[in-house]
Structure formats: C-alpha cells, structure tokens
Amino acid sequence: MNTRKRPNNLWLGRWGFILAATGSAVGLGNIWKFPYMTGEYGGGAFVLVYLLCIFAVGVPVMMIEIAFGRRGRGSPIDAIRRLARESGRSAGWSLLGWMAMICGFMILSFYVVVAGWSFSYLWKTLSGGLSGASVEDMAAIFEANNANPWTLGAWSTLVTVITMLIVGLGVQKGIEKNVSWMMPGMVIMLGIMIGYAMFSGGFGEGVAFLFSFEIGKLTSEGLLAALGHAFFTLSLASGAILTYGSYLPDNSSIARTTLTVAFSDTVVALMAGLAIFPVIFANGLDPSAGPGLLFMSLPLAFQSMPFGTVFETIFFVMLSMAALTSSISMIEATVAWLNESKGISRAKAAWGSGILLWLISTLAMLSFNIGADWTLASKNVFDWLDFLTSRFLMPLGGLGMTLMAGFVLRNEILKSELALPTVGYVLWLYMVRYVSPLGIVLIFIDSLGLMDLDMGSQWTWWLGVLIAISVFGELANPRLKRQFGS
Ligand code: TRP
C-alpha cells in the first residue's frame, strides 16, 4: 500500500534545507547558552563531551527525524501516523508527533522572551544606554530591563510578530527567503567578531580555555548537561527538523545534510566561544558568570574597548538574527499541521497560533516581574516551560523516535530513505537502537534525581555492562547478518 502523499511544498534551492535547518539549530543555544555552560562546567573537558554527544546521539537522531519527515511528507503528527501505518503499526504512534509539536510550541513561548532580551540590548547599545556602566550598573540595567512588564513584553511581542510574519509567508517565500540572507549575514558578523577578539589581548587565553582538556574538571553533571544541550542545540525532538525534513527533495542525501547541519552548528558554537571568551578574559571578567554572561559581562567588556559600541551592535544584531531563524522553526510544525491537516491558510494558521503563543509567552515574560512569585514547587512559569521541555518532552520524544526507528518500523523503510552503504547503515542502526536510547535514558534518570550518576558509582558500571551486552547482542544478531548476507 502506498500511503505517501505527494509533496506540495519543497525547498527551492539546493541549500534551502541546509540553511533553514542550520538556522534552526544555530540560535541562542549556541551563542548564549553554550558559552556560559562551557564557562560553568570548566572549559575544554565540557567541550569534548559535548562534541561526543553531538555525534553519537545528535546525528543519528537528526537522521531519524529528517527521514520521518521526508517519508511521511507532513507535519510531525501526520508524518508519524503515515509511517506507522506503512509498517502496519498502530496510528497511536502519532502521539509522538503531538508531543513534538507541543514541545516546540512550549520552547518558543520562553525562547521569545530571551530573544526579546537580545533585541532590547541591541536597542540599548544603539541608544547609548550601556555606555560608561560599571559592573554594578550592568546588573542593575539587566534587572531594570526585566522589571518593567510593558517594555519587556513589547520586546517579546516584537519577536513573536516578526516570527509569525515570516512563517505566515510560507516555506519558500517566508522561511527559505529569509534564512538565505540571515544565515550568511550571521556567519560574516561572527567572523568579524572573532577578528576583533583576536586583537583584544585575551585570545590566547580564550583558546586555551575552550580547547585545553583537563579530565579532572569533568563532572557527571557536566556530562549530562552536555547530552541535554546536544538535543537542544540541534533542535531535536520538537518537530522543527522533522517538519523541515518533510520539504526535502527525494534525491538529497539525509546523512550528508545531517552531517553538514551538525558540523555547522558545532562550528558556530565554537566560534561564539572564540568571539566571547577572549573579550571576557582581556577584561579580567569571570567566564563562569552563568546566564548573565552575554547580557552583563560581555557589554561591560565592550565598553572598555576601542570601537566597542560598533562591535557590540554587530554582536546583538547577530544574536537577534540567530534567534529569529530558530524561532520560525519552532512554530513551523504547528503551522504546517493546521495548514495541511485542518485546511487553514498558512497566514491564518500563523496568526492564530501566534495569538496563543503570545498569551503563554506573556505568562513566561511576567515571571521576571509581577509574576515572579506565581510559583508551583518553587518554579515560576518560565522555569516550568524550560524544565518540562528540556527534562521531559525532549528526552521522551527523542527516546520514542529512536525506539520507533530502531524496533517498530519495518527496516526497509528507513533503510531506503537513508540510502546508506551497509557499514554506515549498521553503524546508524546500532547507534539508534542502543547508544542513543541509553544516553537519553541516562539524562532522564538523572533529571528525575533517581540516582546519583557519579563517574565511580555502581550505576555507571551497570550501565557499562548493559552497553557491552548490547554490543555483543547486536553483533550476534542473526537477522541482521542474514539481511546483509554476511
Ligand atoms: N537549536 C536552537 C538553539 O540552539 C533552539 C531551537 C530551535 C530549538 N528550535 C528548537 C530547541 C526546537 C529545541 C527544539 O538556540
């Protein structure tokens, strides 16, 4: 039975998917979160495990998502339902699509608040609001920026409106057209920033901080944070990549495009580190300043440097663009579903979901001022959205997809979709069946606080035993052997 739907929306250019998916992946996660996490978890050691996580878990899962999207040709809900049917499995698997779509929506509702910070700092830089500020002033400016719900809300509303405008215009005229200039522009600006950092006087120190590997600094907490961030930074398990994949032409190689996107995302994260840390070190500031690194420490550093305002402007333009190319991808799953499945026009779907998004994001925005103590279990709305998505929906969704790809669907489906040479396919299958799910279960268990995953604890040993058993199990798997005629 052929359940495949004819694609009605495909990327126009050869680079359409790559630019859009890289745009989705590269965002606040790379430029805001990655540097401060690296700062907090001790530099090079964290960078190394992060790279491992990207390639051992992130890449195989991204390949699944693109393959699901392209095979099912539709929003996460529809695509996964079609795939399940094609394999003679329950349509109930589409629940995974629902989870992904809701997860993307929830992430976006707090993401627009942080993106709003970026826009407001761009404005402050341009209007001279940051000049001559001291360390204490910077903290006070950041607090004041958050304290006024009207201005803070205006900035996140602006981000929401721009996002909906672009998505409402459609896949090619909105998304593809805008990422096609925003992404190259962003990379050029990042290059300029690194050039500037080279002359800041702290470049050597910055490089050493990012790339000197000291195993002693690696904590189990840093390890799990790296795994969780690999999911976030590649926009996985939230409908974004799957939906973009549904517009991918049949003749593009999924493995090659995935590697390009993952590689670019990693390069941008490292470039952001190279742009930021030298400036921080040159000014004797603390690299482990946490989430305030970009909004308090960095502006402070710029203030004391020649042409600081110019480069600070470039920096916040770049950050704002990176945020926008990500935010459009988070709502695309919802808009695609409303459009394809419910027959609502794209513009109406974008504005309709935009209004709902605006309501929820307003609650998230209020967490920084009047709603600071609307809490449940000492978490406010913003914290809950972040916690539920990064600790539950993303790991669970990712786990569901690896299980579905590894054990539920008929092997031939993904095999033909991925079109890999045998060695590559077996490697991928092994990752998807064992390495990725185990990694995900690990984050999950840790986030529930069920056990203490210390490097030396007995749990870690049991896990090692489990992995070893699975490796041998797979090597001895007769069905796999038969399949490849070896
Ligand atoms: N990957 C983006 C970043 O690093 C964030 C992002 C975009 C995202 N789309 C997503 C995160 C979907 C999770 C899910 O900033």
Side-chain angles (χ1 to χ4, degrees):
M1 175 180 57
N2 184 11
T3 49
R4 294 192 73 181
K5 213 181 107 200
R6 250 178 70 80
N8 43 9
N9 245 336
L10 288 181
W11 302 109
L12 286 178
R14 215 166 92 68
W15 291 94
F17 175 82
I18 293 194
L19 284 174
T22 309
S24 169
V26 171
L28 297 167
N30 302 61
I31 302 172
W32 168 63
K33 217 168 170 190
F34 175 75
Y36 88 70
M37 285 177 92
T38 305
E40 277 181 349
Y41 292 114
F46 176 79
V47 174
L48 193 79
V49 269
Y50 165 79
L51 292 179
L52 264 174
C53 293
I54 291 280
F55 290 95
V57 182
V59 165
V61 173
M62 188 184 265
M63 286 169 66
I64 297 180
E65 280 206 36
I66 301 176
F68 277 15
R70 189 169 74 180
R71 184 68 169 203
R73 289 280 180 222
S75 68
I77 300 172
D78 298 322
I80 294 181
R81 184 186 301 118
R82 278 187 205 119
L83 273 168
R85 288 231 182 94
E86 196 182 352
S87 282
R89 298 296 183 139
S90 154
W93 282 98
S94 64
L95 210 66
L96 266 179
W98 278 98
M99 244 170 73
M101 190 177 92
I102 292 170
C103 179
F105 198 89
M106 284 169 69
I107 292 175
L108 187 53
S109 53
F110 69 88
Y111 203 82
V112 293
V113 180
V114 183
W117 289 348
S118 174
F119 276 82
S120 70
Y121 268 70
L122 174 61
W123 173 247
K124 278 189 212 305
T125 308
L126 288 173
S127 60
L130 297 175
S131 56
S134 63
V135 180
E136 296 79 27
D137 294 341
M138 280 298 173
I141 290 173
F142 190 62
E143 261 166 44
N145 194 44
N146 279 337
N148 184 337
W150 295 102
T151 48
L152 190 64
W155 289 114
S156 52
T157 305
L158 177 71
V159 177
T160 310
V161 169
I162 301 177
T163 303
M164 296 310 160
L165 268 176
I166 297 177
V167 174
L169 283 173
V171 178
Q172 295 131 354
K173 289 202 195 104
I175 299 175
E176 188 168 359
K177 193 168 157 209
N178 283 289
V179 295
S180 299
W181 66 270
M182 283 191 189
M183 289 313 290
M186 211 207 85
V187 172
I188 292 171
M189 284 187 269
L190 197 52
I192 296 176
M193 295 302 305
I194 293 180
Y196 182 66
M198 280 181 176
F199 296 103
S200 68
F203 200 68
E205 218 177 325
V207 172
F209 180 71
L210 277 173
F211 299 110
S212 66
F213 177 74
E214 285 172 57
I215 188 90
K217 283 190 178 167
L218 188 61
T219 60
S220 63
E221 203 196 329
L223 208 145
L224 290 160
L227 194 52
H229 188 61
F231 262 87
F232 186 83
T233 193
L234 293 178
S235 311
L236 297 176
S238 51
I241 296 294
L242 195 154
T243 311
Y244 278 3
S246 75
Y247 311 134
L248 186 69
D250 280 324
N251 55 8
S252 308
S253 153
I254 291 180
R256 201 170 314 131
T257 42
T258 299
L259 285 175
T260 311
V261 174
F263 181 76
S264 317
D265 183 74
T266 307
V267 169
V268 171
L270 294 176
M271 279 172 82
L274 283 181
I276 292 166
F277 287 119
V279 176
I280 298 290
F281 286 125
N283 289 275
L285 298 170
D286 179 12
S288 57
L293 186 69
L294 276 201
F295 297 104
M296 292 185 267
S297 312
L298 197 66
L300 189 67
F302 279 131
Q303 290 310 313
S304 62
M305 298 170 80
F307 307 107
T309 313
V310 176
F311 289 96
E312 195 172 354
T313 306
I314 297 178
F315 184 85
F316 283 115
V317 171
M318 174 192 78
L319 186 65
S320 306
M321 285 194 341
L324 278 178
T325 55
S326 294
S327 65
I328 55 181
S329 76
M330 288 184 235
I331 199 70
E332 175 59 19
T334 308
V335 171
W337 177 67
L338 288 172
N339 180 240
E340 292 163 7
S341 222
K342 303 284 158 216
I344 300 169
S345 78
R346 273 193 76 94
K348 278 207 190 109
W351 293 111
S353 41
I355 290 170
L356 183 62
L357 180 81
W358 183 81
L359 291 173
I360 303 175
S361 69
T362 299
L363 290 178
M365 180 276 292
L366 292 176
S367 301
F368 290 96
N369 35 70
I370 58 176
D373 41 35
W374 302 343
T375 55
L376 188 69
S378 73
K379 280 191 174 56
N380 58 33
V381 179
F382 186 96
D383 298 336
W384 268 110
L385 287 167
D386 181 16
F387 180 78
L388 285 176
T389 51
S390 66
R391 298 291 172 113
F392 286 91
L393 290 175
M394 274 199 277
L396 272 182
L399 185 63
M401 284 197 229
T402 53
L403 296 180
M404 200 176 161
F407 301 103
V408 175
L409 294 181
R410 286 207 333 263
N411 263 354
E412 303 79 54
I413 295 183
L414 292 183
K415 205 172 156 214
S416 76
E417 212 50 51
L418 295 175
L420 287 169
T422 306
V423 184
Y425 178 74
V426 173
L427 186 68
W428 172 82
L429 193 65
Y430 174 69
M431 295 289 212
V432 161
R433 281 190 173 169
Y434 307 104
V435 180
S436 314
L438 277 175
I440 297 165
V441 168
L442 213 69
I443 326 181
F444 201 59
I445 289 176
D446 176 75
S447 68
L448 292 176
L450 288 185
M451 63 188 203
D452 181 23
L453 281 173
D454 241 328
M455 293 311 272
S457 86
Q458 55 157 333
W459 288 108
T460 322
W461 287 107
W462 281 116
L463 217 88
V465 172
L466 216 69
I467 292 177
I469 293 175
S470 72
V471 176
F472 291 118
E474 194 64 9
L475 290 181
N477 184 343
R479 202 155 50 102
L480 203 72
K481 267 196 195 148
R482 220 176 310 128
Q483 204 170 328
F484 297 111
S486 60

